[in-house]
Amino acid sequence: MNEKDILARIDEFVGEEQRLRERYQRDELGREEEHRRLEQLEVALDQCWDLLRRRRARLEAGQDPDAAGVRPPDEVEGYLQ
């Protein structure tokens, strides 16, 4: 996945998040369902941002950005800044 693909994926996830919130406000979606999907989206977004940062760092260091793969959710979510 290249940078353009990652950014497109982030945009898709953010759009879905906004649509979920709108559906919830219109009572078209239950709170539990909204919460579950929002948690999934949060993890997916964190993985995308992590991948994008690591690709850019590798590129700046003169390394192959394609060598940076998507890390598992527990690794990305457990990261301390």
Side-chain angles (χ1 to χ4, degrees), residues 2-3 13 22 24 29 34 49-51 55 57 61 72 76:
N2 63 34
E3 185 168 324
F13 290 145
E22 289 169 3
Y24 176 72
L29 187 69
E34 178 208 27
W49 284 116
D50 175 68
L51 178 58
R55 284 183 56 85
V76 173

Side-chain angles (χ1 to χ4, degrees), residues 4-63:
K4 184 177 177 179
D5 295 333
I6 297 167
L7 290 170
R9 199 99 194 254
I10 289 170
D11 193 46
E12 288 174 24
F13 290 145
V14 169
E16 183 178 348
E17 180 182 29
Q18 290 169 343
R19 288 187 298 277
L20 278 173
R21 292 185 189 282
E22 289 169 3
R23 287 181 61 204
Y24 176 72
Q25 289 176 345
R26 292 190 307 259
D27 288 328
E28 297 174 359
L29 187 69
R31 182 68 172 161
E32 187 175 308
E33 184 180 352
E34 178 208 27
H35 183 69
R36 180 188 52 77
R37 184 59 186 145
L38 285 175
E39 284 180 348
Q40 293 171 344
L41 286 170
E42 180 182 318
V43 171
L45 279 166
D46 288 347
Q47 286 177 299
C48 286
W49 284 116
D50 175 68
L51 178 58
L52 187 61
R53 281 190 298 270
R54 289 185 308 107
R55 284 183 56 85
R56 288 177 175 173
R58 291 184 68 80
L59 192 59
E60 286 180 26
Q63 299 175 355

